[in-house]
PDB file of all heavy atoms in Angstrom:
ATOM      1  N   GLU K   1       0.844  -1.167  -0.008  1.00 92.00           N
ATOM      2  CA  GLU K   1      -0.014   0.044  -0.032  1.00 92.00           C
ATOM      3  C   GLU K   1       0.780   1.211  -0.025  1.00 92.00           C
ATOM      4  O   GLU K   1       0.618   2.184   0.797  1.00 92.00           O
ATOM      5  CB  GLU K   1      -0.964  -0.003   1.257  1.00 92.00           C
ATOM      6  CG  GLU K   1      -1.966  -1.158   1.134  1.00 92.00           C
ATOM      7  CD  GLU K   1      -2.843  -1.156   2.421  1.00 92.00           C
ATOM      8  OE1 GLU K   1      -3.160  -0.168   2.936  1.00 92.00           O
ATOM      9  OE2 GLU K   1      -3.226  -2.328   2.885  1.00 92.00           O
ATOM     10  N   SER K   2       1.830   1.274  -0.865  1.00 92.00           N
ATOM     11  CA  SER K   2       2.712   2.334  -0.803  1.00 92.00           C
ATOM     12  C   SER K   2       2.064   3.538  -1.652  1.00 92.00           C
ATOM     13  O   SER K   2       1.500   3.432  -2.723  1.00 92.00           O
ATOM     14  CB  SER K   2       3.925   1.912  -1.708  1.00 92.00           C
ATOM     15  OG  SER K   2       4.755   2.992  -2.008  1.00 92.00           O
ATOM     16  N   GLY K   3       2.079   4.786  -1.041  1.00 94.00           N
ATOM     17  CA  GLY K   3       1.647   5.965  -1.636  1.00 94.00           C
ATOM     18  C   GLY K   3       2.635   7.050  -1.593  1.00 94.00           C
ATOM     19  O   GLY K   3       3.801   6.645  -1.421  1.00 94.00           O
ATOM     20  N   PRO K   4       2.412   8.196  -1.905  1.00 95.00           N
ATOM     21  CA  PRO K   4       3.378   9.329  -2.059  1.00 95.00           C
ATOM     22  C   PRO K   4       3.958   9.642  -0.700  1.00 95.00           C
ATOM     23  O   PRO K   4       5.178   9.922  -0.509  1.00 95.00           O
ATOM     24  CB  PRO K   4       2.741  10.493  -2.654  1.00 95.00           C
ATOM     25  CG  PRO K   4       1.418  10.129  -2.919  1.00 95.00           C
ATOM     26  CD  PRO K   4       1.144   8.728  -2.573  1.00 95.00           C
ATOM     27  N   ARG K   5       3.225   9.377   0.470  1.00 95.00           N
ATOM     28  CA  ARG K   5       3.535   9.869   1.684  1.00 95.00           C
ATOM     29  C   ARG K   5       3.509   8.704   2.762  1.00 95.00           C
ATOM     30  O   ARG K   5       3.695   9.097   4.009  1.00 95.00           O
ATOM     31  CB  ARG K   5       2.705  11.142   2.155  1.00 95.00           C
ATOM     32  CG  ARG K   5       2.976  12.275   1.235  1.00 95.00           C
ATOM     33  CD  ARG K   5       2.564  13.680   1.835  1.00 95.00           C
ATOM     34  NE  ARG K   5       2.997  14.760   0.982  1.00 95.00           N
ATOM     35  CZ  ARG K   5       4.204  15.210   0.996  1.00 95.00           C
ATOM     36  NH1 ARG K   5       5.035  14.819   1.957  1.00 95.00           N
ATOM     37  NH2 ARG K   5       4.524  16.101   0.120  1.00 95.00           N
ATOM     38  N   SER K   6       3.066   7.555   2.464  1.00 96.00           N
ATOM     39  CA  SER K   6       2.954   6.527   3.245  1.00 96.00           C
ATOM     40  C   SER K   6       3.228   5.151   2.736  1.00 96.00           C
ATOM     41  O   SER K   6       3.033   5.072   1.564  1.00 96.00           O
ATOM     42  CB  SER K   6       1.661   6.598   4.154  1.00 96.00           C
ATOM     43  OG  SER K   6       0.617   6.271   3.237  1.00 96.00           O
ATOM     44  N   PHE K   7       3.455   4.220   3.583  1.00 96.00           N
ATOM     45  CA  PHE K   7       3.307   2.765   3.146  1.00 96.00           C
ATOM     46  C   PHE K   7       3.135   1.848   4.347  1.00 96.00           C
ATOM     47  O   PHE K   7       3.281   2.401   5.537  1.00 96.00           O
ATOM     48  CB  PHE K   7       4.632   2.287   2.384  1.00 96.00           C
ATOM     49  CG  PHE K   7       5.983   2.589   3.051  1.00 96.00           C
ATOM     50  CD1 PHE K   7       6.354   1.946   4.087  1.00 96.00           C
ATOM     51  CD2 PHE K   7       6.787   3.681   2.560  1.00 96.00           C
ATOM     52  CE1 PHE K   7       7.658   2.103   4.728  1.00 96.00           C
ATOM     53  CE2 PHE K   7       8.033   3.879   3.232  1.00 96.00           C
ATOM     54  CZ  PHE K   7       8.392   3.141   4.230  1.00 96.00           C
ATOM     55  N   GLN K   8       2.602   0.713   4.102  1.00 97.00           N
ATOM     56  CA  GLN K   8       2.446  -0.261   5.263  1.00 97.00           C
ATOM     57  C   GLN K   8       3.618  -1.199   5.345  1.00 97.00           C
ATOM     58  O   GLN K   8       4.077  -1.677   4.267  1.00 97.00           O
ATOM     59  CB  GLN K   8       1.131  -0.977   4.940  1.00 97.00           C
ATOM     60  CG  GLN K   8       0.843  -2.036   6.168  1.00 97.00           C
ATOM     61  CD  GLN K   8      -0.526  -2.542   6.092  1.00 97.00           C
ATOM     62  OE1 GLN K   8      -1.224  -2.417   5.059  1.00 97.00           O
ATOM     63  NE2 GLN K   8      -0.885  -3.251   7.170  1.00 97.00           N
ATOM     64  N   VAL K   9       4.007  -1.458   6.581  1.00 96.00           N
ATOM     65  CA  VAL K   9       5.043  -2.426   6.746  1.00 96.00           C
ATOM     66  C   VAL K   9       4.447  -3.567   7.607  1.00 96.00           C
ATOM     67  O   VAL K   9       3.709  -3.412   8.553  1.00 96.00           O
ATOM     68  CB  VAL K   9       6.151  -1.902   7.543  1.00 96.00           C
ATOM     69  CG1 VAL K   9       7.390  -2.840   7.854  1.00 96.00           C
ATOM     70  CG2 VAL K   9       6.683  -0.559   7.164  1.00 96.00           C
ATOM     71  N   SER K  10       4.617  -4.923   7.036  1.00 96.00           N
ATOM     72  CA  SER K  10       4.139  -5.949   7.834  1.00 96.00           C
ATOM     73  C   SER K  10       5.257  -7.080   7.854  1.00 96.00           C
ATOM     74  O   SER K  10       6.166  -7.041   7.008  1.00 96.00           O
ATOM     75  CB  SER K  10       2.858  -6.511   7.252  1.00 96.00           C
ATOM     76  OG  SER K  10       2.884  -6.541   5.820  1.00 96.00           O
ATOM     77  N   TRP K  11       5.186  -7.913   8.868  1.00 93.00           N
ATOM     78  CA  TRP K  11       6.249  -8.865   9.098  1.00 93.00           C
ATOM     79  C   TRP K  11       5.699 -10.137   9.581  1.00 93.00           C
ATOM     80  O   TRP K  11       4.653 -10.293  10.099  1.00 93.00           O
ATOM     81  CB  TRP K  11       7.330  -8.343   9.985  1.00 93.00           C
ATOM     82  CG  TRP K  11       6.728  -7.861  11.319  1.00 93.00           C
ATOM     83  CD1 TRP K  11       6.518  -8.542  12.401  1.00 93.00           C
ATOM     84  CD2 TRP K  11       6.243  -6.542  11.541  1.00 93.00           C
ATOM     85  NE1 TRP K  11       5.905  -7.819  13.382  1.00 93.00           N
ATOM     86  CE2 TRP K  11       5.808  -6.497  12.879  1.00 93.00           C
ATOM     87  CE3 TRP K  11       6.227  -5.323  10.891  1.00 93.00           C
ATOM     88  CZ2 TRP K  11       5.242  -5.421  13.511  1.00 93.00           C
ATOM     89  CZ3 TRP K  11       5.779  -4.249  11.472  1.00 93.00           C
ATOM     90  CH2 TRP K  11       5.248  -4.233  12.794  1.00 93.00           C
ATOM     91  N   ALA K  12       6.422 -11.205   9.454  1.00 88.00           N
ATOM     92  CA  ALA K  12       6.125 -12.520   9.842  1.00 88.00           C
ATOM     93  C   ALA K  12       7.414 -13.202  10.347  1.00 88.00           C
ATOM     94  O   ALA K  12       8.443 -12.931   9.959  1.00 88.00           O
ATOM     95  CB  ALA K  12       5.542 -13.321   8.852  1.00 88.00           C
ATOM     96  N   PRO K  13       7.290 -14.231  11.203  1.00 83.00           N
ATOM     97  CA  PRO K  13       6.121 -14.772  11.987  1.00 83.00           C
ATOM     98  C   PRO K  13       5.917 -13.862  13.273  1.00 83.00           C
ATOM     99  O   PRO K  13       6.801 -13.103  13.691  1.00 83.00           O
ATOM    100  CB  PRO K  13       6.505 -16.154  12.380  1.00 83.00           C
ATOM    101  CG  PRO K  13       7.993 -16.078  12.634  1.00 83.00           C
ATOM    102  CD  PRO K  13       8.497 -15.116  11.539  1.00 83.00           C
ATOM    103  N   VAL K  14       4.664 -13.928  13.877  1.00 82.00           N
ATOM    104  CA  VAL K  14       4.437 -13.312  15.083  1.00 82.00           C
ATOM    105  C   VAL K  14       4.554 -14.458  16.155  1.00 82.00           C
ATOM    106  O   VAL K  14       3.978 -15.473  16.070  1.00 82.00           O
ATOM    107  CB  VAL K  14       2.978 -12.700  15.173  1.00 82.00           C
ATOM    108  CG1 VAL K  14       2.629 -12.241  16.463  1.00 82.00           C
ATOM    109  CG2 VAL K  14       2.863 -11.584  14.090  1.00 82.00           C
ATOM    110  N   LEU K  15       5.489 -14.150  17.202  1.00 78.00           N
ATOM    111  CA  LEU K  15       5.705 -15.144  18.165  1.00 78.00           C
ATOM    112  C   LEU K  15       5.374 -14.563  19.617  1.00 78.00           C
ATOM    113  O   LEU K  15       5.450 -13.451  19.824  1.00 78.00           O
ATOM    114  CB  LEU K  15       7.257 -15.331  18.154  1.00 78.00           C
ATOM    115  CG  LEU K  15       7.831 -15.818  16.793  1.00 78.00           C
ATOM    116  CD1 LEU K  15       9.342 -15.626  16.723  1.00 78.00           C
ATOM    117  CD2 LEU K  15       7.546 -17.188  16.620  1.00 78.00           C
ATOM    118  N   ASP K  16       4.916 -15.636  20.340  1.00 77.00           N
ATOM    119  CA  ASP K  16       4.614 -15.258  21.744  1.00 77.00           C
ATOM    120  C   ASP K  16       5.776 -14.736  22.598  1.00 77.00           C
ATOM    121  O   ASP K  16       5.624 -14.066  23.522  1.00 77.00           O
ATOM    122  CB  ASP K  16       4.094 -16.519  22.489  1.00 77.00           C
ATOM    123  CG  ASP K  16       2.753 -16.917  21.900  1.00 77.00           C
ATOM    124  OD1 ASP K  16       1.998 -16.083  21.369  1.00 77.00           O
ATOM    125  OD2 ASP K  16       2.342 -18.090  22.184  1.00 77.00           O
ATOM    126  N   SER K  17       7.013 -15.182  22.091  1.00 78.00           N
ATOM    127  CA  SER K  17       8.115 -14.800  22.948  1.00 78.00           C
ATOM    128  C   SER K  17       8.542 -13.249  22.613  1.00 78.00           C
ATOM    129  O   SER K  17       9.452 -12.855  23.215  1.00 78.00           O
ATOM    130  CB  SER K  17       9.287 -15.705  22.639  1.00 78.00           C
ATOM    131  OG  SER K  17       9.531 -15.949  21.203  1.00 78.00           O
ATOM    132  N   VAL K  18       7.824 -12.574  21.696  1.00 86.00           N
ATOM    133  CA  VAL K  18       8.256 -11.192  21.509  1.00 86.00           C
ATOM    134  C   VAL K  18       7.416 -10.300  22.227  1.00 86.00           C
ATOM    135  O   VAL K  18       6.214 -10.396  22.277  1.00 86.00           O
ATOM    136  CB  VAL K  18       7.972 -10.933  19.837  1.00 86.00           C
ATOM    137  CG1 VAL K  18       8.311  -9.510  19.620  1.00 86.00           C
ATOM    138  CG2 VAL K  18       8.949 -11.827  19.018  1.00 86.00           C
ATOM    139  N   ALA K  19       8.162  -9.374  22.904  1.00 89.00           N
ATOM    140  CA  ALA K  19       7.446  -8.354  23.739  1.00 89.00           C
ATOM    141  C   ALA K  19       6.915  -7.188  22.911  1.00 89.00           C
ATOM    142  O   ALA K  19       5.738  -6.749  23.128  1.00 89.00           O
ATOM    143  CB  ALA K  19       8.374  -7.857  24.895  1.00 89.00           C
ATOM    144  N   SER K  20       7.809  -6.733  21.932  1.00 94.00           N
ATOM    145  CA  SER K  20       7.477  -5.712  21.242  1.00 94.00           C
ATOM    146  C   SER K  20       8.285  -5.599  19.878  1.00 94.00           C
ATOM    147  O   SER K  20       9.269  -6.253  19.909  1.00 94.00           O
ATOM    148  CB  SER K  20       7.517  -4.371  21.790  1.00 94.00           C
ATOM    149  OG  SER K  20       8.828  -4.002  22.117  1.00 94.00           O
ATOM    150  N   TYR K  21       7.937  -4.906  18.886  1.00 95.00           N
ATOM    151  CA  TYR K  21       8.610  -4.612  17.690  1.00 95.00           C
ATOM    152  C   TYR K  21       8.974  -3.211  17.570  1.00 95.00           C
ATOM    153  O   TYR K  21       8.179  -2.279  18.007  1.00 95.00           O
ATOM    154  CB  TYR K  21       7.783  -5.099  16.504  1.00 95.00           C
ATOM    155  CG  TYR K  21       7.567  -6.546  16.402  1.00 95.00           C
ATOM    156  CD1 TYR K  21       6.258  -6.968  16.828  1.00 95.00           C
ATOM    157  CD2 TYR K  21       8.477  -7.422  15.795  1.00 95.00           C
ATOM    158  CE1 TYR K  21       5.969  -8.396  16.871  1.00 95.00           C
ATOM    159  CE2 TYR K  21       8.169  -8.715  15.734  1.00 95.00           C
ATOM    160  CZ  TYR K  21       6.971  -9.194  16.235  1.00 95.00           C
ATOM    161  OH  TYR K  21       6.626 -10.622  16.148  1.00 95.00           O
ATOM    162  N   GLN K  22      10.130  -2.957  17.074  1.00 96.00           N
ATOM    163  CA  GLN K  22      10.571  -1.515  16.785  1.00 96.00           C
ATOM    164  C   GLN K  22      10.671  -1.439  15.228  1.00 96.00           C
ATOM    165  O   GLN K  22      11.256  -2.287  14.650  1.00 96.00           O
ATOM    166  CB  GLN K  22      11.902  -1.276  17.353  1.00 96.00           C
ATOM    167  CG  GLN K  22      11.864  -0.487  18.527  1.00 96.00           C
ATOM    168  CD  GLN K  22      13.303  -0.136  19.098  1.00 96.00           C
ATOM    169  OE1 GLN K  22      14.269  -0.569  18.474  1.00 96.00           O
ATOM    170  NE2 GLN K  22      13.295   0.455  20.265  1.00 96.00           N
ATOM    171  N   VAL K  23      10.009  -0.431  14.730  1.00 96.00           N
ATOM    172  CA  VAL K  23      10.185  -0.245  13.204  1.00 96.00           C
ATOM    173  C   VAL K  23      11.045   0.955  13.061  1.00 96.00           C
ATOM    174  O   VAL K  23      10.567   2.238  13.444  1.00 96.00           O
ATOM    175  CB  VAL K  23       8.784  -0.065  12.539  1.00 96.00           C
ATOM    176  CG1 VAL K  23       9.065   0.226  11.071  1.00 96.00           C
ATOM    177  CG2 VAL K  23       7.984  -1.421  12.807  1.00 96.00           C
ATOM    178  N   LEU K  24      12.263   0.949  12.452  1.00 96.00           N
ATOM    179  CA  LEU K  24      13.074   2.095  12.196  1.00 96.00           C
ATOM    180  C   LEU K  24      13.013   2.291  10.817  1.00 96.00           C
ATOM    181  O   LEU K  24      13.020   1.347   9.953  1.00 96.00           O
ATOM    182  CB  LEU K  24      14.488   1.693  12.522  1.00 96.00           C
ATOM    183  CG  LEU K  24      14.932   1.756  13.997  1.00 96.00           C
ATOM    184  CD1 LEU K  24      14.266   0.624  14.722  1.00 96.00           C
ATOM    185  CD2 LEU K  24      16.350   1.833  14.131  1.00 96.00           C
ATOM    186  N   TYR K  25      12.848   3.584  10.355  1.00 97.00           N
ATOM    187  CA  TYR K  25      12.827   3.961   8.932  1.00 97.00           C
ATOM    188  C   TYR K  25      13.578   5.273   8.617  1.00 97.00           C
ATOM    189  O   TYR K  25      13.428   6.124   9.599  1.00 97.00           O
ATOM    190  CB  TYR K  25      11.451   3.900   8.415  1.00 97.00           C
ATOM    191  CG  TYR K  25      10.521   4.917   8.984  1.00 97.00           C
ATOM    192  CD1 TYR K  25      10.202   6.158   8.478  1.00 97.00           C
ATOM    193  CD2 TYR K  25       9.813   4.618  10.313  1.00 97.00           C
ATOM    194  CE1 TYR K  25       9.303   6.986   9.067  1.00 97.00           C
ATOM    195  CE2 TYR K  25       8.972   5.490  10.806  1.00 97.00           C
ATOM    196  CZ  TYR K  25       8.719   6.701  10.294  1.00 97.00           C
ATOM    197  OH  TYR K  25       7.933   7.582  10.833  1.00 97.00           O
ATOM    198  N   GLY K  26      14.142   5.460   7.512  1.00 96.00           N
ATOM    199  CA  GLY K  26      14.851   6.702   7.146  1.00 96.00           C
ATOM    200  C   GLY K  26      15.100   6.569   5.663  1.00 96.00           C
ATOM    201  O   GLY K  26      15.210   5.618   5.125  1.00 96.00           O
ATOM    202  N   PRO K  27      15.180   7.880   5.096  1.00 96.00           N
ATOM    203  CA  PRO K  27      15.393   7.988   3.629  1.00 96.00           C
ATOM    204  C   PRO K  27      16.853   7.467   3.367  1.00 96.00           C
ATOM    205  O   PRO K  27      17.809   7.673   4.106  1.00 96.00           O
ATOM    206  CB  PRO K  27      15.213   9.418   3.388  1.00 96.00           C
ATOM    207  CG  PRO K  27      15.385  10.184   4.661  1.00 96.00           C
ATOM    208  CD  PRO K  27      15.027   9.142   5.685  1.00 96.00           C
ATOM    209  N   LEU K  28      17.044   6.980   2.158  1.00 93.00           N
ATOM    210  CA  LEU K  28      18.306   6.613   1.643  1.00 93.00           C
ATOM    211  C   LEU K  28      18.693   7.550   0.514  1.00 93.00           C
ATOM    212  O   LEU K  28      17.763   7.771  -0.275  1.00 93.00           O
ATOM    213  CB  LEU K  28      18.414   5.129   1.035  1.00 93.00           C
ATOM    214  CG  LEU K  28      18.226   3.995   2.110  1.00 93.00           C
ATOM    215  CD1 LEU K  28      18.077   2.657   1.377  1.00 93.00           C
ATOM    216  CD2 LEU K  28      19.474   3.987   2.958  1.00 93.00           C
ATOM    217  N   PRO K  29      19.925   8.050   0.312  1.00 89.00           N
ATOM    218  CA  PRO K  29      20.839   8.035   1.480  1.00 89.00           C
ATOM    219  C   PRO K  29      20.597   8.961   2.528  1.00 89.00           C
ATOM    220  O   PRO K  29      19.689   9.977   2.204  1.00 89.00           O
ATOM    221  CB  PRO K  29      22.183   8.352   0.675  1.00 89.00           C
ATOM    222  CG  PRO K  29      21.689   9.185  -0.449  1.00 89.00           C
ATOM    223  CD  PRO K  29      20.293   8.795  -0.793  1.00 89.00           C
ATOM    224  N   GLY K  30      21.079   8.844   3.674  1.00 84.00           N
ATOM    225  CA  GLY K  30      20.756   9.711   4.776  1.00 84.00           C
ATOM    226  C   GLY K  30      20.944   9.022   6.001  1.00 84.00           C
ATOM    227  O   GLY K  30      21.030   7.872   6.047  1.00 84.00           O
TER     228      GLY K  30
END
């Protein structure tokens, strides 16, 4: 669902042993 100002990030698998996820993003290069 990529648009000019946003996109969706999804990941797998989802595990019970994970407390939280961190999503880091930044423009390349930069």
Side-chain angles (χ1 to χ4, degrees):
E1 297 177 33
S2 173
R5 299 201 169 270
S6 68
F7 50 75
Q8 181 169 11
V9 185
S10 41
W11 53 87
V14 173
L15 301 164
D16 289 341
S17 50
V18 174
S20 64
Y21 294 95
Q22 262 184 0
V23 179
L24 281 72
Y25 59 96
L28 286 174

